[in-house]
Each structure stands twice: as C-alpha cells, then as structure tokens.
Amino acid sequence: MSQKKLKFNSKTIHGGQKPDKAYGAVMPPIYQTSTFAQTTPGGHQGFEYSRSGNPTRSALENSLASIESGNYGLAFGSGLAAMDAVIKLLSPGDEVISTNDLYGGSYRIFKQIFEKYGIVFHFVGMQNVAEIEKKINTKTRLIWVETPTNPMMNIIDIKAVSKLAQKHNVLLAVDNTFATPYLQRPLEMGADIVMHSATKYLGGHSDVVLGALVVKDKELADQLYFIQNASGAVCGPMDSFLVLRGIKTLHVRMQRHCENGRAIAEYLQNHPKIEKVYWPGLESHPNHAVAKEQMNDFGGMISFIPKGASYNDAIKIVENLNVFTLAESLGGVESLAGHPASMTHASIPKEEREKSGVVDSLIRLSVGIEDASDLIEDLEQAIG
Ligand code: P1T
C-alpha cells in the first residue's frame, strides 16, 4: 500500500519511515555525528555535515511531512527557531497579520526581534475573518494564525482565512501546536505552512525542545531549507529521535487528552466558584461551531477564571495543586497548570494581553493522560 494512502493513525507509526539501510533497525539510529566521511570532495552518501542534514533528523522530517499531509518537513532547535525561519522569508517593509491572542514568545519574537529589521506586524482578533481583510494591503506577505490560540482557546476558521490569503496572494502559516495533526491538518484546508512547537504534544513527554515546519510546495521548501541551513537553528539527532518516538503514540495520547479535557471542562463549567471556562468543545464556547467543523475533537488545553479572583487568588490555586504540576509548557503526558499573566504571557504588555482576555486571574491547564477522577479531585481541593 502506498504510504500516502495510509490513514492518520498508521501514518504516525509508518509515515515516511523505512527500516535503516545499515542493519535494518526498525527505529532510526541516533546518528550522533557532526560530519560524514567523503571518498572525494562531494562524494558522500547523502549527508555531509549535520547542520545541512542528518539521517535521524531526516527520518523525523519525513514523519512530520507525512502526518501533516505535506511534502516537506523541516525540524529546528525549538518552536521559536521554526518561526524565526518563516519570518526570515520576508524583507524590510513587508507586513504580517497575526492573531492578537498567541503564545507570549511568538509575540515577543515578532515585536522585539523582527520589528527592528523593518517588518511590520498587525495583531487582530481573527475569529472575525473580516478584521483580517481590513489590514491587507500591497505590502502584506504573510498571515500568521494560531488556533486554538494560547491561552484563550479562540478558534480561527482556517479555510476562510486560506481563501482570503489566496485571493490576495499572501502566504498563510498556521501554528498547529495546540491541535496537532490528530485534530486538524491545516495544509488540507489550504494553508501554505504548518508550524509546531514539537516540544508539546508531538514530543509528548516533556523531555525535549524542538520545532517543526511542514509545507507542500517545493519552492517554499527550498527557501526554508536554505534558511534552516544558512541560519543553522537545527535540532540534534537525540532530540529528533525523541520526537520521532513521541509521534508514534500521538493518536493514542491525543484520544485520552481529549477525553480528559472534556471531563475537566465540564467539571469546571458546573463548578459554582468558576466564572468562565475556555475549551472549544463546550457548546457555550463562542467559536464552537467552527471548532466542530475543522477539528476532529477538542484537545486537552483549558483556561478558566475563578469567580471574583485576584492575581494572588489565581496564584494560590495553582500553587495548591498536587497532581497538576505548576510549570511552563504543555502537551506532555503529565498534567500541568500555569498562570499566563506571570508565566507564558508575561512578555506581552499588560494592556495588550488584557485586550485579548489574558487577565491576572486566568489559569491555564494542560490536561494530561492520568485518571480524570484524580485530576478533578486535585482541582476540587485547590479551588476550595
Ligand atoms: O518553546 P518552543 O518550542 O520554542 O515553542 C514556542 C511556542 C510556539 N507556539 C505555541 C503555540 C507555543 O505554545 C509555544 C511554546 N509555549 C509554551 C512554552 C507555553 O507554555 O505556552
């Protein structure tokens, strides 16, 4: 059967993979080498130097391309390094339209690194696609979408944005970190670039920092490969191996993340001391209809606001959790809790983050794959 015909769960295990040429190893060996012997200058077996390419990284890149329904995968040292490569496609004067609610580090690289080089960023609420069109002009080169957004769990209609991007001949990149290709595949919906912090669900075990891009178009892949090699923010062979191993269980982990996510979102929604719950699977979520249309399920990321809570009240709740660990990051098998205003989104000025709903009392949960009843009991004692 051709690999392209495999269904998603099979692709996580077999997509782009072949037993290793040397001894038939089923898992790609960790080629922990910086360089490769040549018989004559340029006479090598496909790899010459590990920044330009490494067999373990290639195995991961092939897997990434397969699970995201693309043709080319590129792996980087972190999610932000992958974003850095995308923005380096642009030139001074070019404009980017980005969602206004996104990971704090993404906002920071746009505003504090690339604005200095003359790239202009507009941040808009993309739940209303018409807002995007208002900002498009002849200098617009890229639309940057994150959906679900971090941490407000807003949902952006990828197909609608992609139509707009095509109409105006603008690239569309989607940060698919929260959803993963198990839940949504942006390239199938018309996006040009999919980006991941593979540190999260793709790796899945909180033991590696790694980033990824996947594209369909050869010319775009060549440009990104040039940047990957020329700027050099690549990941190492060991980290590539860990993410490749993580991907092989992505579908079973995601299924449980989604089940536990539902159990906890419903528990919080019915809790008398909770003001608001943000999880796209709830019918009360303002973008639930779009989520239902473009996602296969709703994931394990939830944000909530306790009733009448102050900054300190929110901090106390996250400190009181025992099964949930208070930590940055998300997407691992273990449940994590965070306080976006002081942690993941502290790099966004207070007025800016509050405009998109990231208030001082907001708490974010990355629901893991433990027994849901243990997680609920933990929340019960911490919320009080
Ligand atoms: O941490 P890194 O692998 O560089 O990925 C950055 C990144 C990009 N996009 C999204 C949606 C992300 O959530 C992240 C990283 N986020 C966290 C560390 C966090 O706790 O939200």
Side-chain angles (χ1 to χ4, degrees):
M1 188 192 239
S2 113
Q3 286 233 341
K4 291 241 175 206
K5 284 200 179 144
L6 292 176
K7 295 183 202 68
F8 183 78
N9 296 347
S10 307
K11 278 187 180 175
T12 65
I13 297 160
H14 300 294
Q17 307 299 297
K18 282 191 227 101
D20 188 61
K21 273 192 218 146
Y23 296 106
V26 167
M27 273 305 281
I30 302 163
Y31 282 96
Q32 194 70 47
T33 183
S34 59
T35 192
F36 299 82
Q38 307 191 15
T39 49
T40 182
H44 54 74
Q45 298 172 53
F47 296 95
E48 53 190 329
Y49 183 61
S50 280
R51 170 164 38 73
S52 313
N54 173 285
T56 319
R57 192 177 93 215
S58 284
L60 170 64
E61 292 175 332
N62 293 339
S63 165
L64 290 163
S66 168
I67 60 173
E68 278 290 7
S69 299
N71 296 320
Y72 306 93
L74 298 113
F76 294 82
S78 70
L80 287 176
M83 290 183 74
D84 180 87
V86 174
I87 306 302
K88 283 178 177 159
L89 291 167
L90 310 182
S91 303
D94 286 348
E95 298 196 5
V96 179
I97 305 172
S98 163
T99 177
N100 64 348
D101 168 36
L102 79 170
Y103 171 55
S106 306
Y107 179 85
R108 183 177 55 200
I109 193 172
F110 290 164
K111 291 290 291 183
Q112 294 186 38
I113 302 287
F114 283 109
E115 264 189 8
K116 273 197 311 213
Y117 296 97
I119 295 168
V120 177
F121 294 87
H122 303 278
F123 296 91
V124 305
M126 291 191 173
Q127 300 89 283
N128 180 1
V129 176
E131 293 297 312
I132 306 175
E133 194 154 27
K134 283 189 203 156
K135 295 282 181 196
I136 295 184
N137 62 46
T138 52
K139 293 178 183 158
T140 311
R141 287 282 316 279
L142 174 71
I143 299 176
W144 187 273
V145 166
E146 187 181 292
T147 182
T149 59
N150 180 0
M152 297 311 297
M153 308 301 297
N154 289 312
I155 302 296
I156 296 157
D157 184 337
I158 299 172
K159 272 191 198 154
V161 181
S162 139
K163 266 194 207 139
L164 191 66
Q166 278 161 18
K167 178 172 149 196
H168 293 276
N169 202 17
V170 169
L171 283 176
L172 170 60
V174 177
D175 182 336
N176 205 25
T177 299
F178 271 32
T180 83
Y182 175 82
L183 296 180
Q184 78 192 6
R185 290 185 285 282
L187 296 181
E188 291 178 9
M189 295 181 239
D192 301 290
I193 302 173
V194 170
M195 175 260 158
H196 277 278
S197 169
T199 314
K200 313 297 177 341
Y201 289 103
L202 298 188
H205 297 75
S206 306
D207 52 10
V208 61
V209 172
L210 193 143
L213 299 176
V214 182
V215 302
K216 279 187 162 172
D217 181 68
K218 171 141 186 7
E219 202 178 316
L220 185 55
D222 288 346
Q223 288 170 8
L224 289 167
Y225 174 71
F226 177 81
I227 295 166
Q228 183 195 39
N229 184 44
S231 285
V234 293
C235 49
M238 178 71 195
D239 290 351
S240 301
F241 175 87
L242 286 171
V243 173
L244 189 59
R245 184 167 73 161
I247 287 173
K248 288 173 191 278
T249 56
L250 177 68
H251 53 299
V252 283
R253 287 185 285 107
M254 285 308 292
Q255 191 179 347
R256 181 63 68 86
H257 282 297
C258 293
E259 284 166 18
N260 284 358
R262 173 170 297 282
I264 287 171
E266 287 175 355
Y267 158 78
L268 289 170
Q269 193 180 34
N270 294 323
H271 198 296
K273 290 190 178 167
I274 302 302
E275 172 93 41
K276 271 198 175 147
V277 183
Y278 302 93
W279 187 66
L282 292 174
E283 287 197 2
S284 56
H285 187 288
N287 320 123
H288 176 66
V290 180
K292 226 167 125 179
E293 174 67 29
Q294 77 182 11
M295 300 170 76
N296 298 320
D297 203 334
F298 305 102
M301 294 303 297
I302 302 172
S303 293
F304 68 96
I305 299 178
K307 254 184 204 152
S310 64
Y311 183 95
N312 287 335
D313 295 333
I315 301 252
K316 207 178 265 170
I317 292 176
V318 292
E319 282 176 353
N320 282 344
L321 288 163
N322 298 317
V323 183
F324 283 86
T325 302
L326 173 58
E328 306 251 352
S329 203
L330 58 111
V333 289
E334 65 288 292
S335 292
L336 302 180
H339 178 244
S342 64
M343 296 168 71
T344 47
H345 292 70
S347 57
I348 306 178
K350 188 172 158 77
E351 318 84 74
E352 280 304 310
R353 70 175 154 73
E354 290 199 337
K355 264 193 239 161
S356 54
V358 187
V359 293
D360 283 351
S361 54
L362 187 80
I363 293 171
R364 191 189 75 179
L365 302 177
S366 169
V367 178
I369 64 170
E370 301 94 334
D371 286 298
S373 55
D374 286 336
L375 300 175
I376 288 173
E377 212 173 290
D378 194 28
L379 286 165
E380 186 71 18
Q381 64 78 25
I383 293 165

